[in-house]
């Protein structure tokens, strides 16, 4: 049973410890029990998490430095799980004074007047987390506090009495974790105000120099300084943050896929839509291609939110087709990737060359590169197959297109029409079954479409972007027609 008064608390085994020691003690227990900790954070098991655990053991304030969409804020929020479930505080205290170690005028006065009868309340760890997004308009009053003239008038106090102070966010986070997101966006003079908080535990409000030994675990997040053009972390402040931990994007497709699947918000109906491993990998590959594209500002980064939004769009595009066609079920097709363009264009910062191309064109290019990269995992390289002396497995398909035949895959095609359009290409189904004999009908059709997209990326077929779909035709024929069109324009 929890103590209700200071006297009852003293009779228990409760000992007053700092929030940094509390985090350290609970982490030690977690490490000794080989418990995971930081649930839902994927891909950091050998990099970020061990470094963060080291910083906690060293009782350091932490700066998480990395590009957008690298789970910096989520990591900070999960640190709450390392706090004790409940801690006692003096009831009514604005800054949750420790009953055994009060620091505010209110806390000290309560104990001085009521002694062991001082009422005690209990604070859950979920309430011991404060987060502030740094913006240029944040003031010292917001973070640290200000003099409250109304309080002074009501209590008939002079301005040199500390009871007239209205505490800001940081003093109210006493005995808690305080997070400042995007630290470089904080004005330099506000960053300077944090110096004493980290070092001397002083807070200065107007004319007051108040000795408040605040007990806070600070966590800061920031993009690398060379990216953020709005400001930077002032050097003396950076010097006072003991541990700087670099975050990063997922290093493998497998980890990236797990993150996307964990974070994507799908309805129960959407989860019934079949999404093959190939399309899931393609979504991730688009992000990997974006992270090395010369059209995209790499200092800005390509957030993990791109793949999450893209996957949600992909499933929704297939669902829309199913609803329009009044079908009971469907599966994600390669043509559905036209539906992820809005998710991609909204998540990338283009450099000058990219702006010239246009965001939609860049998104199509990224999807094309992803298809080309993934093609090698499923089929032989079409360019090498063309040059080898053995039979070219793609020859029958390309020859059919050379004869002037075309294929149009609209993303609204019914299942039957989609199947019919793909099956009219001779040798296409046989090619897929040669390399992947044990697939379902849906998977076979998906790979048949994938082959057409792959051949176009290897310049064996021409791919036209139609409204809501793709058209495939012979490469030479399309080049010839393009030349004629150009000449028409020149002489027109």
């Amino acid at each position: 049973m929890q103590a209700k008064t200071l006297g009852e608390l003293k009779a228990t085994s409760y000992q007053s410890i700092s929030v940094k020691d509390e985090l350290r003690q609970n982490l030690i227990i977690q490490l000794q029990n080989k418990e995971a900790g930081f649930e839902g954070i994927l891909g950091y098991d050998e990099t970020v998490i061990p470094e963060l655990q080291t910083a906690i053991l060293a009782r350091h304030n932490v700066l998480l430095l990395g590009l957008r969409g690298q789970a910096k804020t989520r990591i900070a929020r999960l640190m709450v799980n390392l706090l004790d479930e409940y801690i006692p505080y003096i009831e009514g205290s604005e800054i949750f004074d420790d009953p055994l170690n009060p620091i505010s005028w209110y806390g000290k006065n309560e104990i001085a007047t009521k002694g062991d009868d001082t009422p005690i309340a209990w604070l859950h760890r979920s309430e011991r987390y404060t987060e502030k997004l740094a913006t240029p308009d944040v003031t010292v009053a917001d973070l640290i506090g200000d003099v409250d003239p109304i309080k002074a008038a009501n209590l008939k106090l002079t301005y040199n009495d500390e009871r007239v102070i209205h505490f800001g966010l940081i003093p109210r986070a006493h005995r808690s974790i305080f997070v400042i997101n995007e630290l470089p966006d904080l004005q330099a003079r506000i960053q300077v105000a944090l110096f004493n908080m980290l070092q001397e535990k002083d807070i200065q409000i107007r004319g007051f120099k108040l000795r408040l030994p605040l007990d806070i675990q600070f966590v800061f997040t920031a993009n690398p300084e060379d990216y953020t053009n709005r400001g930077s972390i002032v050097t003396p402040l950076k010097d006072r943050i003991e541990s700087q931990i670099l975050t990063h994007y997922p290093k493998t497709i497998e980890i990236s896929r797990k993150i996307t699947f964990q974070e994507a918000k799908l309805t129960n109906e959407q989860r019934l839509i079949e999404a093959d491993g190939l399309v899931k990998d393609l979504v991730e590959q688009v992000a990997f291609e974006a992270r090395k594209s010369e059209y995209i500002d790499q200092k800005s980064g390509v957030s993990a939110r791109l793949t999450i939004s893209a996957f949600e769009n992909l499933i929704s595009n297939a669902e829309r087709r199913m609803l329009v066609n009044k079908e009971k079920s469907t599966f994600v097709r390669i043509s559905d990737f036209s539906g992820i363009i809005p998710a991609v264009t909204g998540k990338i910062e283009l450099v000058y060359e990219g702006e010239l191309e246009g965001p939609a064109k860049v998104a199509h290019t990224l999807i094309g590169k992803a298809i080309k990269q993934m093609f090698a995992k499923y089929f032989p390289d079409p360019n090498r197959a063309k040059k080898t002396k053995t039979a070219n497995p793609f020859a029958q398909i390309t020859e059919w297109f050379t004869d002037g035949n075309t294929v149009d895959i609209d993303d609204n095609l019914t299942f039957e029409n989609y199947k019919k359009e793909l099956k009219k290409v001779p040798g296409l189904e046989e090619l897929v079954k040669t390399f992947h004999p044990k697939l379902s009908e849906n998977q076979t059709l998906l790979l048949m479409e994938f082959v057409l997209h792959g051949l176009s990326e290897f310049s064996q077929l021409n791919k036209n972007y139609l409204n809501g779909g793709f058209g495939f035709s012979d490469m030479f024929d399309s080049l010839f027609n393009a030349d004629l069109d150009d000449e028409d324009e020149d002489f027109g």
Side-chain angles (χ1 to χ4, degrees):
M1 189 169 155
Q2 292 176 332
K4 296 278 174 52
T5 64
L6 179 59
E8 287 177 20
L9 185 69
K10 285 178 180 174
T12 68
S13 58
Y14 174 75
Q15 287 184 315
S16 180
I17 61 169
S18 73
V19 66
K20 287 185 168 76
D21 282 320
E22 192 182 324
L23 288 164
R24 175 186 155 83
Q25 282 183 12
N26 290 324
L27 177 61
I28 288 170
I29 294 165
Q30 198 177 80
L31 292 172
Q32 286 173 337
N33 294 340
K34 291 190 166 53
E35 290 171 8
F38 297 97
E39 296 293 329
I41 301 295
L42 303 171
Y44 285 169
D45 293 349
E46 293 168 8
T47 51
V48 176
I49 299 303
E51 289 174 9
L52 181 61
Q53 289 171 336
T54 301
I56 292 168
L57 291 173
R59 298 179 298 177
H60 284 178
N61 294 308
V62 175
L63 169 62
L64 294 168
L65 191 65
L67 298 173
R68 55 189 174 162
Q70 292 185 349
K72 300 186 294 294
T73 307
R74 173 172 283 207
I75 289 169
R77 287 174 181 166
L78 287 172
M79 283 177 68
V80 170
N81 296 332
L82 288 171
L83 294 170
D84 291 341
E85 189 171 4
Y86 285 97
I87 57 163
Y89 69 96
I90 297 171
E91 195 173 335
S93 169
E94 281 182 279
I95 64 171
F96 304 107
D97 273 297
D98 183 341
L100 302 184
N101 186 22
I103 61 167
S104 73
W105 182 93
Y106 175 86
K108 290 172 182 173
N109 183 63
E110 280 287 282
I111 289 173
T113 54
K114 297 177 182 172
D116 283 354
D117 293 328
T118 303
I120 301 297
W122 292 80
L123 189 67
H124 190 258
R125 61 180 160 217
S126 61
E127 297 175 74
R128 296 174 63 197
Y129 176 89
T130 307
E131 191 178 296
K132 179 66 179 165
L133 176 63
T135 52
D137 61 340
V138 171
T139 64
V140 173
D142 293 335
L143 290 181
I144 296 170
D146 205 349
V147 170
D148 185 346
I150 296 170
K151 200 187 256 187
N154 286 344
L155 297 174
K156 297 184 172 56
L157 298 170
T158 63
Y159 277 3
N160 56 359
D161 190 312
E162 69 176 84
R163 284 174 286 174
V164 304
I165 293 172
H166 175 78
F167 289 119
L169 284 171
I170 293 177
R172 288 170 187 273
H174 178 50
R175 305 173 74 204
S176 303
I177 296 168
F178 189 80
V179 178
I180 297 182
N181 278 322
E182 310 301 343
L183 181 61
D185 287 353
L186 214 54
Q187 289 180 44
R189 66 185 183 84
I190 314 294
Q191 292 186 36
V192 169
L194 294 174
F195 288 0
N196 280 10
M197 308 286 298
L198 291 169
Q199 199 77 28
E200 285 85 23
K201 309 281 195 263
D202 283 350
I203 60 170
Q204 292 187 336
I205 298 170
R206 304 281 173 163
F208 287 101
K209 184 171 182 188
L210 195 62
R211 290 289 292 169
L212 262 191
L214 291 169
D215 177 23
I216 296 172
Q217 169 69 53
F218 281 99
V219 181
F220 304 97
T221 77
N223 281 331
E225 286 177 77
D226 57 351
Y227 158 56
T228 176
N229 53 13
R230 297 162 298 214
S232 61
I233 304 171
V234 295
T235 311
L237 176 59
K238 205 170 180 185
D239 185 51
R240 283 166 170 79
I241 303 169
E242 300 95 335
S243 283
Q244 176 179 290
I245 297 169
L246 299 177
T247 58
H248 56 81
Y249 288 121
K251 293 183 176 176
T252 66
I253 292 279
E254 290 73 31
I255 290 171
S256 196
R257 237 175 91 162
K258 282 180 185 172
I259 293 170
T260 300
F261 199 70
Q262 175 181 282
E263 300 300 319
K265 292 179 175 66
L266 302 177
T267 65
N268 290 333
E269 296 92 341
Q270 287 176 326
R271 290 184 192 280
L272 299 175
I273 292 167
E274 186 183 325
D276 190 69
L278 166 62
V279 294
K280 289 177 180 173
D281 284 350
L282 272 175
V283 170
E284 308 307 330
Q285 192 64 43
V286 169
F288 276 73
E289 294 300 329
R291 288 177 192 136
K292 58 187 181 187
S293 170
E294 68 275 16
Y295 295 130
I296 293 170
D297 184 359
Q298 298 306 322
K299 289 177 184 173
S300 167
V302 177
S303 166
R305 296 184 192 96
L306 182 147
T307 53
I308 297 162
S309 299
F311 185 64
E312 289 169 349
N313 270 19
L314 196 64
I315 296 291
S316 299
N317 204 64
E319 182 184 34
R320 187 181 66 83
R321 178 182 59 251
M322 181 178 75
L323 296 170
V324 166
N325 293 332
K326 294 185 170 64
E327 293 176 326
K328 293 278 195 311
S329 64
T330 192
F331 63 95
V332 177
R333 305 169 185 173
I334 307 296
S335 55
D336 287 320
F337 274 79
S338 58
I340 77 167
I341 303 295
V344 177
T345 54
K347 299 279 189 295
I348 53 177
E349 297 282 338
L350 301 178
V351 293
Y352 179 67
E353 292 83 355
E355 294 288 357
L356 290 178
E357 291 286 322
K361 183 102 179 277
V362 169
H364 277 299
T365 304
L366 295 174
I367 293 167
K369 285 187 172 180
I371 288 170
K372 189 173 183 179
Q373 188 70 29
M374 294 297 300
F375 197 79
K377 293 185 179 180
Y378 289 81
F379 299 101
D381 184 317
N383 289 339
R384 284 189 192 159
K386 210 174 180 182
K387 294 171 187 170
T388 54
K389 291 176 183 175
T390 55
N392 178 359
F394 305 104
Q396 189 181 359
I397 299 164
T398 52
E399 283 166 12
W400 184 78
F401 282 98
T402 306
D403 292 339
N405 296 300
T406 60
V407 169
D408 291 339
I409 308 277
D410 185 316
D411 69 356
N412 279 336
L413 280 179
T414 63
F415 175 75
E416 289 305 322
N417 288 342
Y418 175 72
K419 184 162 75 168
K420 190 174 163 189
E421 196 70 12
L422 289 170
K423 289 208 172 188
K424 75 181 188 184
V425 184
L428 185 54
E429 188 172 5
E430 290 76 6
L431 170 84
V432 170
K433 289 191 168 171
T434 300
F435 291 98
H436 303 280
K438 295 179 180 175
L439 297 180
S440 67
E441 183 183 25
N442 289 355
Q443 289 175 313
T444 303
L445 290 170
L446 175 69
L447 279 188
M448 284 165 72
E449 188 193 350
F450 183 55
V451 168
L452 298 181
H453 286 270
L455 288 174
S456 77
E457 294 306 324
F458 282 93
S459 304
Q460 309 267 319
L461 292 178
N462 178 58
K463 177 162 70 173
N464 293 316
Y465 295 105
L466 309 172
N467 280 337
F470 303 93
F472 297 95
S473 58
D474 177 52
M475 196 74 197
F476 179 73
D477 187 44
S478 66
L479 289 172
F480 185 65
N481 288 336
D483 289 343
L484 281 177
D485 292 341
D486 291 345
E487 284 175 24
D488 287 344
E489 284 170 24
D490 291 341
F491 289 107

